């Protein structure tokens, strides 16, 4: 099993722990990831607000580079995952846009035919690797640990490609396969505030506070997420939350970190030290 | 206290603007809205908006351009797509927010010191320069441009990020920047051609 | 406007007419241009356009032309033949021409209504007209066949629609068989305590009609039964009905219910379907005390005797009429009827599909049908409005339009939910004193006394919040919200979002076609719309007819509607059936197939293909024979015959080939 890996800016910056744990886990499961050569930023939500066509063209360059390799692309960051999928859909649906974007790509000697499949790591784990294969490799199950599975918005919305839009379960299943328990968490797909938390903190803090408080109240010892921005917002602003509301102190982890532990990988390889809120309780005895 | 006149005259409507929205990608079925309000109710940010998403949709289709483009609503949208998924008429509210943001930037009517449009533009500049985005530099730049005072309040977060090795002051760059700029330039040329028509 | 010219040698004299249909056709198609063009075609001696061809003067025009210009063939370009083929055939007859020397061209549904490009639509109208002109030359004089109508009627579905239709027909002296799938008739109405807007007690008005059905000498009531197969044609249907085993002899049981008391299960243990799972029942049960027929039945899935064969069978012992028969088998019955009324009703939307409303996840969330049972004096709680844990709700939120007006699920408005939500709001308030909130998108109360009912509810102090609820959650932001279900909604009239904590949520689920509507429609060979409801012949002018003669539809199987409309429609369906019965016979299209004996090689390929079993092999002659009365003119055998020896009236080779030639000619 081999895929192209499109990390996106976050996994090289604030989301390093995601990259570290993802690479470790995929390695342990025998899935090869080949980083896309000379990838650029996908434009995320910000660029779409400035220029539609250019923002599709940015994503278009990524897809064009990927198409040459004839491999499915794995995009772990929710924003990248959405942007790449959305670009493909928009190019299909709007001929005028398609003309402009492919024209611009051709001006730079690139070509995109529309054959690339953009996948999420959860999708690959569930549908290509398979739960059974994962379970077989679990050596130190996370028995006794309880987590709140938090998907955030952009991997199930607006397109539900591999999971249910309102009640996604793939991460729940992977955490359960790791031996952990998932608390009932109706906030699963609620918004974390996205980039607003950085720009208009009073807005984002409330959302983050609700998410963390509810996870805690429902008995979770950590929130487990799939998105670097969610992780950043929930992990980074707990001081500010404490000032405004109350101290919550809940570790915010990536699902790949939990799965990594269950696969018996050393915590040091899984980016645990990068959490601002320490995850000691989760690591206890490991 | 000065009294504000709430009466609107037909002459204040800009029908062209409404039609423009329906021609943009995502705005096509604007007029199907039944004003049910589920977009506003599901929106995590509507509580801060000056017009709820539902009201914005109605203002847009009725052609109240000034209200729409100068609203905070469009800048508070976090692009979480909750509204779009719940809308019973499949109206692409999030994409409508996007197209309104773009128009507001084009016409220069966005709220000046509100950091979000500034961030959006800064983001674009950084991509042009490096091909990738460095969150640290982006944030610093942003606060310096809008509210450097608040930046000081963030030092604690900054220190935390430093401590955990998640902050970097050296921008990641792509190798073939010329290739990327050619793409962007080609689109600029296209746009000029269009506006010349 | 008209073009006229002299007779052309060899080709029959053709009259062509194009209709404006007001502006329906004329606004897209240049009718004058078509008229002038057709006048130039070979054989056409009269070519006219007219505002409404179907009007009396329009028809008279045709009749007069036939006489004056000695027309021998007729082509009318207008709407769908479904609508007016008969009209123009009659016009031809009035003028003294055989009705089948006529061909109709549909340029409304096939051109003006579906195209925007005027030039192209006009071109298409010309092509179609040319095809018909070429074809009609070869038409032959045909006569319709007359067949008698069997006066017996089958009614399928014993909801209020089926009950009313059956009683109307029976009172007119016709023999009716009423087939109901469930163990009792009554349908949805039997679940209700009160009915809007008058709030009369549902049972009080329904049960007398139910027992009238049971005791009517002209009605045979078969409950717990389903139609298996329908054969034949208008006036002469052969229907097989499967009677499912109740394991209790219906003729012996008097409904004393001694067996239920005696069942080895001392307490009711299994979810009670009739009570929407809110109550419990034993393996031997009766849906409700006034069930009709008043006969118990056994659920083989839960009965110990049925499952293991090892039960004391104390039920059977308790029955002094010896009605129990654990070996009862399904029975297949066959009946002959002339007409059929379908009244199979609706089902409610599955509330689980709207994940964010939490049905099935939060015990405080109920469907409207469940609440109908809770407020019902003879329901599982005897009318006490309680939550699943026994608490009484202090605040209740009713969410409208669940599974209605939503392109993600069902696009249509279900028509009754606003009104029944008002009804439930009133009843809940009356029974529990709770604060009641209605969340609606638009309040729809069109009906006699309906708006007045809304006024009453407003005066009662029920809250009306205009907004579609986004989510029902259990997370609290304030102390008052602790332990409650919180509804998030935009109060669109106020312009802000509100969070409203309640104890009970009621989902006003919409109306959908029955799950098996697709199968049923195939069985009876009728159509259904894209939403799944049975398709009427014409939405305004033939609302209870279907495209299959002799089969009528009534009630919610045709689309969402309330009881008053359902009953009106059931009466109409009964009347339409009576029209056929009292006429005594029907005329059948002469579009049947026939075998050219000399060419038939007796290969029998056609025999098994005929869906109506109309073909047999004459063993003596070794030739296929088609029974004209059974043939429906589907054309299957015509296309399949390897020697090309089967022909079909109105679809003769030269007719079809010249039509093709016509459409392709320039
Ligand atoms: C919650 C709720 C409350 C309502 N309250 C009111 C009210 O207060 N006032 C009002 O006017 N209207 C009310 N209505 C509307 C009302 O229920 C309908 O108008 C009415 O029930 C329609 O009657 P029907 O006979 O067409 O269908 P149904 O009541 O659905 O009856 C159909 C019958 O056909 C049977 N059947 C189905 N398929 C087959 C088959 N293949 N073979 C044999 N039998 C079959 C079914 O078992 C059923 O007995 C309410 C609806 C709902 C959902
Ligand atoms: S959810 Fe859709 S239909 Fe409802 S108010 Fe919003 S945009 Fe309009
Ligand atoms: S996409 Fe924007 S407007 Fe829609 S719900 Fe999310 S934040 Fe609100």
């Amino acid at each position: 099993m081999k895929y192209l890996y499109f990390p996106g800016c976050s996994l090289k910056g604030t989301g390093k722990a995601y990259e570290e744990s993802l690479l470790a886990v995929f390695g342990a499961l025998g899935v090869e990831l080949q980083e896309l050569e000379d990838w650029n930023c996908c434009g995320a939500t910000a660029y779409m607000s400035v220029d539609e066509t250019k923002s599709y063209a940015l994503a278009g360059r990524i897809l064009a580079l990927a198409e040459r390799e004839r491999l499915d692309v794995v995009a772990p960051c929710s924003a990248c995952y959405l942007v790449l999928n959305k670009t493909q859909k928009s190019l299909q649906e709007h001929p005028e846009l398609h003309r402009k974007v492919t024209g611009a790509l051709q001006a730079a000697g690139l070509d995109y035919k529309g054959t690339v499949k953009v996948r999420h790591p959860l999708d690959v784990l569930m549908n290509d690797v398979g739960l059974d294969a994962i379970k077989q490799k679990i050596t130190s199950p996370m028995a006794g640990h309880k987590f709140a599975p938090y998907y955030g918005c952009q991997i199930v919305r607006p397109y539900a490609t591999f999971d249910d839009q309102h009640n996604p379960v793939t991460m729940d299943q992977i955490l359960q396969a790791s031996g952990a328990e998932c608390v009932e968490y109706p906030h699963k797909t609620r918004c974390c505030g996205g980039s607003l938390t950085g720009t208009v903190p009073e807005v984002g803090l409330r959302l983050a506070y609700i998410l963390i408080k509810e996870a805690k109240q429902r008995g979770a010892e950590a929130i487990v997420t799939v998105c670097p921005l969610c992780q950043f917002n929930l992990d980074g602003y707990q001081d500010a939350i404490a000032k405004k509301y109350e101290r919550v102190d809940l570790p915010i982890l990536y699902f790949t970190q939990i799965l990594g532990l269950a696969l018996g990988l050393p915590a040091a390889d899984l980016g645990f030290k990068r959490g601002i809120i320490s995850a000691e309780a989760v690591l206890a005895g490991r | 206290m000065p009294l504000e006149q709430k009466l609107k005259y037909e002459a204040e409507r800009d029908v062209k603007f409404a039609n423009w929205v329906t021609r943009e990608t995502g705005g096509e079925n604007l007029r199907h809205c039944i004003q049910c309000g589920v977009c506003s109710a599901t929106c995590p940010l509507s509580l801060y908006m000056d017009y709820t998403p539902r009201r914005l949709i109605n203002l847009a289709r009725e052609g109240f351009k000034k209200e729409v483009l100068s609203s905070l609503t469009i800048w508070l949208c976090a692009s979480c797509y909750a509204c779009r998924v719940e809308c019973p008429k499949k109206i692409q509210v999030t994409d409508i927010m996007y197209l309104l943001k773009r128009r507001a930037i084009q016409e220069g009517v966005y709220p000046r010191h509100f950091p979000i449009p500034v961030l959006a533009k800064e983001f674009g500049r950084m991509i042009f320069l490096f091909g990738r985005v460095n969150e640290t530099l982006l944030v610093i730049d942003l606060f310096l441009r809008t509210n450097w005072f608040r930046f000081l309040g963030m030092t604690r977060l900054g220190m935390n990020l430093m401590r955990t090795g998640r902050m970097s002051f050296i921008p990641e760059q792509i190798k073939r920047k010329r290739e990327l700029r050619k793409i962007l330039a080609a689109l600029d040329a296209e746009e000029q051609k269009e506006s010349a028509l | 406007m008209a073009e006229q010219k002299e007779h052309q040698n060899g080709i029959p004299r053709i009259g062509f007419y194009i209709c404006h249909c007001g502006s329906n056709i004329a606004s897209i198609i240049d009718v004058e241009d078509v008229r002038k063009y057709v006048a130039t075609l070979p054989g056409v001696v009269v070519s006219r356009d007219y505002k409404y061809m179907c009007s009396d003067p329009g028809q008279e025009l045709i009749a007069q032309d036939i006489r004056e210009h000695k027309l021998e063939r007729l082509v009318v370009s207008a709407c769908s033949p479904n609508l007016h083929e008969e009209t123009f055939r009659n016009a031809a007859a009035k003028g003294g021409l055989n009705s089948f020397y006529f061909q109709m061209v549909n340029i409304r549904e096939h051109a003006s209504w579906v195209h925007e490009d005027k030039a192209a639509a006009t071109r298409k109208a010309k092509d179609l007209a040319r095809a018909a002109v070429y074809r009609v030359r070869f038409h032959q004089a045909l006569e319709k066949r007359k067949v008698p109508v069997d006066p017996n009627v089958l009614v399928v579905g014993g909801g209020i629609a089926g009950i009313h239709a059956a009683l109307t027909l029976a009172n007119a002296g016709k023999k009716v068989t009423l087939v109901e799938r469930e163990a009792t008739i009554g349908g949805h109405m039997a679940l209700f305590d009160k009915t809007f807007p008058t709030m009369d007690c549902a049972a009080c008005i329904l049960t007398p009609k139910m027992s009238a059905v049971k005791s009517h000498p002209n009605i045979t009531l078969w409950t717990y039964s389903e139609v298996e197969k329908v054969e034949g044609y208008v006036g002469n249907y052969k229907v097989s009905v499967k009677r499912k085993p109740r394991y209790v002899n219906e003729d012996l049981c008097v409904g004393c219910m001694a067996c239920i008391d005696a069942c080895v299960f001392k307490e009711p243990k299994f979810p009670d379907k009739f009570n929407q799972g809110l109550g419990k029942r034993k393996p031997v049960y009766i849906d409700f005390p006034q069930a009709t027929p008043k006969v118990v039945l056994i659920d083989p899935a839960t009965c110990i005797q049925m499952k293991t064969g090892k039960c004391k069978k104390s039920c059977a012992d308790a029955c002094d009429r010896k009605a129990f028969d654990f070996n009862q088998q399904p029975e297949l019955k066959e009946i002959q009827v002339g007409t059929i009324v379908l009244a199979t009703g609706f089902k409610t939307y599955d509330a689980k599909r709207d994940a964010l409303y939490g049905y099935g996840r939060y015990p405080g969330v109920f469907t409207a049908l469940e609440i109908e049972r809770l407020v019902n004096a003879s329901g599982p709680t005897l009318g006490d409005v309680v939550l699943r844990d026994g608490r009484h709700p202090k605040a209740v939120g009713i969410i409208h339009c669940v599974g209605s007006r939503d392109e993600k699920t069902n696009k249509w408005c279900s028509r009754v939910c606003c009104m029944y939500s008002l009804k439930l709001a009133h009843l809940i308030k009356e029974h529990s004193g709770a604060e009641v909130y209605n969340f609606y998108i638009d309040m729809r109360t069109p009906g006699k006394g309906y708006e007045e009912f809304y006024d009453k509810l407003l005066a009662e102090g029920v809250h009306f919040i205009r907004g579609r609820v986004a989510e029902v959650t259990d997370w609290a932001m304030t102390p008052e919200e602790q332990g409650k279900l919180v509804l998030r909604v935009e109060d669109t009239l106020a312009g802000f979002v509100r969070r409203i904590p309640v104890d009970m949520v009621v989902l006003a689920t919409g109306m959908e076609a029955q799950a098996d509507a697709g199968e049923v429609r195939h069985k009876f060979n009728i159509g259904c719309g894209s939403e799944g409801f049975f398709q009427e012949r014409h939405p305004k002018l033939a609302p209870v007819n279907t495209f299959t003669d002799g089969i009528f539809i009534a009630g919610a199987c045709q689309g969402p509607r309330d009881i008053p409309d359902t009953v009106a429609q059931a009466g109409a369906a009964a009347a339409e059936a009576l029209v056929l019965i009292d006429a005594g016979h029907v005329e059948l299209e002469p579009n049947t197939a026939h075998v050219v004996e000399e060419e038939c090689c007796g290969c029998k390929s056609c025999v098994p293909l005929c869906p109506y079993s109309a073909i047999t092999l004459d063993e003596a002659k070794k030739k296929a024979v088609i029974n004209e009365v059974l043939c429906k003119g589907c054309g299957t055998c015509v296309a399949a015959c390897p020697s090309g020896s089967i022909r079909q009236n109105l679809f003769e080779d030269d007719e079809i080939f010249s039509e093709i030639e016509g459409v392709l000619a320039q």
Side-chain angles (χ1 to χ4, degrees), chain C residues 493-516:
Chain C
L493 300 179
F496 43 70
V497 176
R498 291 172 63 179
R499 290 174 57 92
I500 296 174
V502 298
D503 306 294
M504 175 187 255
V505 174
V506 182
L507 304 180
T509 44
M511 287 164 96
E512 287 181 340
Q514 292 279 15
D516 64 348

Side-chain angles (χ1 to χ4, degrees), chain B residues 29 32 34-44 46-47 50 52-55 84-90, chain C residues 356-357 404-408 411 440-442 466-471 488-497:
Chain B
N29 57 354
H32 295 193
I34 54 170
Q35 290 287 299
C36 71
V38 83
C39 49
S40 316
T42 200
C43 177
S46 58
L47 68 164
D50 40 3
T52 58
R54 170 191 61 86
R55 291 180 71 192
R84 144 121 185 218
V85 166
E86 297 312 322
C87 173
K89 294 291 164 182
K90 296 198 170 155
Chain C
L356 294 184
Y357 289 161
S404 298
R405 304 187 67 191
D406 184 349
E407 296 196 3
K408 294 178 282 85
K411 281 188 183 180
Y440 67 100
I441 306 177
D442 293 299
R466 189 193 173 285
R468 186 183 160 103
V469 171
E471 197 176 358
R488 256 200 1 263
V489 64
E490 178 179 26
D491 186 330
T492 60
L493 300 179
F496 43 70
V497 176

Side-chain angles (χ1 to χ4, degrees), chain C residues 509-532:
Chain C
T509 44
M511 287 164 96
E512 287 181 340
Q514 292 279 15
D516 64 348
E519 275 162 56
V520 172
R521 114 185 151 82
H522 279 300
K523 222 175 264 175
F524 290 90
N525 190 28
I526 61 167
C528 54
S530 56
E531 359 62 25

